[in-house]
Amino acid sequence: MGTPLPTVAGTAATDDDGTRDRFVLSRPHGTVATTGARARFDDVDAAAAALRTSRTDLVVGALPFARHAPCALIAPAAVERTTGTWQPPHGLPPLPRFTVDGIRDGEHLDRVRTALDVLRDDTSVLDKVVLARTLTLTADAPAAPAAILAALVTGTPTGNGYLVDLSAAGDSHTGRTLVGSSPEVLVRKEGSTVSCHPLAGSAPRDPRTDRDREIGRALTASVKDRREHAFVVESVRASLAPFCRTLDIPDTPTLTHTPQLWHLGTPIRGELRDPGTTALDLALALHPTPAVCGTPTDLAYATIDELEGDRGFYAGAVGWCTADGDGEWMVTIRCAEISGDRRRVTAYAGGGIVAESDPRTELGETVTKFGTVLSALGVRL
């Protein structure tokens, strides 16, 4: 990006596996990796104030899904920026064997059916709600978070991946690590230019080339998926418009993909009215988008809270922001949380529910989305 990231010399204290206060965001255009903490923030307003007053040159970490929940942000002690995707260090331990503790398909189907009753009610104003589920795996030996990140980064052609020590959030988050490989850019800011690439509307890939292409074409023609995608684009437009003097938003979405899924995506670009607006400011204005929450936002949020409970850091945002405002934040999807003892991994997957949704299809979509993490762990359902 335009302005060089601050580089702070020094070696920070870490825990035994080197994960304490660690942060990595791997992207095709470059990697930001930090260690140690000069300050920790569980309150996003305190982190934003530290950036505004130049008490820190850089903030990195994760924002939760819930607005009231503590964040896990740090002002790092040492920063490294490299071009290209993250390169795993030599000597990482092999991953242990994982077993799935249990698959609660019925629980998710019940949630989807409950949401559909509301969505199909003529008196309801709820247009879309994103419902998620978890899958817990147990390892036969401690799993190194960096080794899981390495498997995630090497498992996707784009090399997307992230790792965040969640200890700054305190309490039950101490010692836990968030890892994942998100395909969705919440916001990227460079100088006065802002960009994002919301995704909504998905279909599973097929190993047969001809069939795979047919699935992609069918997704672009799907009324249900295009409607779901339009909710997200309009929300992003409304959130960015107050900050931007110009916005370039294509009229129709395009196909993008991961190894597991086709997605409808819309690349959005704008020019800020005030270049002093930070990437963190923009991330907070955009989050949560209908891609991970629903529309109307407040009603969808309340529905998620009632049906799911606390999501933690799933469907939040992970990224970084400098004191001059540049930065990048990804939507925290295709992810898992690693326990403090490194023996339990909780994976997350969700999907957007609209009135036209089919419960079994939505269940299948979550199974496909679990594939990003499960493939990295060497697990098949």
Side-chain angles (χ1 to χ4, degrees):
M1 304 187 78
T3 304
L5 287 172
T7 300
V8 183
T11 302
T14 59
D15 59 12
D16 289 342
D17 66 2
T19 308
R20 176 69 176 180
D21 295 320
R22 190 170 183 182
F23 170 87
V24 178
L25 178 61
S26 173
R27 298 281 287 129
H29 50 264
T31 294
V32 174
T34 76
T35 54
R38 292 184 288 119
R40 300 181 184 90
F41 306 96
D42 63 2
D43 184 308
V44 69
D45 291 333
L51 285 171
R52 282 195 305 270
T53 57
S54 298
R55 286 186 284 116
T56 182
D57 294 324
L58 177 68
V59 164
V60 304
L63 306 175
F65 175 73
R67 303 160 183 166
H68 62 273
C71 64
L73 298 175
I74 61 173
V79 184
E80 181 182 12
R81 183 187 185 190
T82 55
T83 59
T85 58
W86 183 67
Q87 298 302 306
H90 295 295
L92 285 176
L95 289 175
R97 288 187 177 183
F98 292 89
T99 56
V100 178
D101 286 358
I103 303 174
R104 300 189 298 273
D105 289 354
E107 182 179 59
H108 190 66
L109 284 170
D110 287 345
R111 288 174 179 167
V112 173
R113 289 172 180 140
T114 299
L116 285 172
D117 287 342
V118 176
L119 288 159
R120 292 170 180 172
D121 187 326
D122 291 340
T123 64
S124 174
V125 296
L126 183 66
D127 292 315
K128 172 186 173 180
V129 62
V130 179
L131 295 180
R133 60 192 293 227
T134 61
L135 190 65
T136 303
L137 304 98
T138 301
D140 64 3
I148 296 178
L149 175 63
L152 287 163
V153 169
T154 57
T156 176
T158 56
N160 282 320
Y162 54 87
L163 180 153
V164 185
D165 173 34
L166 297 176
S167 297
D171 297 332
S172 62
H173 296 290
T174 301
R176 296 186 180 184
T177 307
L178 182 71
V179 294
S181 177
S182 176
E184 185 168 359
V185 182
L186 178 65
V187 67
R188 185 183 183 200
K189 190 249 181 185
E190 183 177 9
S192 62
T193 301
V194 58
S195 59
C196 52
H197 195 180
L199 306 178
S202 306
R205 303 287 304 275
D206 193 287
R208 297 165 294 180
T209 302
D210 288 348
R211 176 60 183 147
D212 194 43
R213 289 173 179 164
E214 289 176 8
I215 292 170
R217 285 194 293 268
L219 180 62
T220 61
S222 166
V223 174
K224 176 259 184 188
D225 289 285
R226 289 175 72 97
R227 178 169 172 260
E228 181 184 339
H229 187 81
F231 289 139
V232 180
V233 172
E234 288 310 307
S235 174
V236 171
R237 185 197 305 272
S239 296
L240 288 182
F243 297 96
C244 294
R245 56 184 179 84
T246 63
L247 269 176
D248 180 14
I249 304 179
D251 292 332
T252 57
T254 55
L255 274 177
T256 184
H257 61 82
T258 68
Q260 292 82 22
L261 287 158
W262 287 107
H263 292 288
L264 294 180
T266 297
I268 295 173
R269 189 177 182 89
E271 292 297 318
L272 293 169
R273 301 178 194 275
D274 177 6
T277 301
T278 72
L280 182 56
D281 294 333
L282 295 168
L284 293 172
L286 287 163
H287 173 69
T289 74
V292 293
C293 183
T295 189
T297 301
D298 289 344
L299 181 55
Y301 181 89
T303 303
I304 291 166
D305 190 51
E306 179 180 350
L307 294 178
E308 289 183 31
D310 183 21
R311 280 185 171 179
F313 285 87
Y314 167 72
V318 57
W320 57 273
C321 182
T322 64
D324 65 8
D326 283 0
E328 185 165 30
W329 294 84
M330 306 295 289
V331 181
T332 313
I333 53 177
R334 312 296 193 272
C335 66
E337 189 175 295
I338 307 166
S339 65
D341 65 4
R342 309 300 188 230
R343 288 181 177 269
R344 290 176 70 82
V345 174
T346 302
Y348 297 81
I353 314 300
V354 294
E356 300 89 344
S357 293
D358 171 73
R360 285 285 171 187
T361 300
E362 297 299 335
L363 178 69
E365 182 175 323
T366 63
V367 173
T368 301
K369 288 177 175 176
F370 278 134
T372 299
V373 169
L374 296 185
S375 294
L377 300 180
V379 174
R380 283 192 168 200
L381 289 181

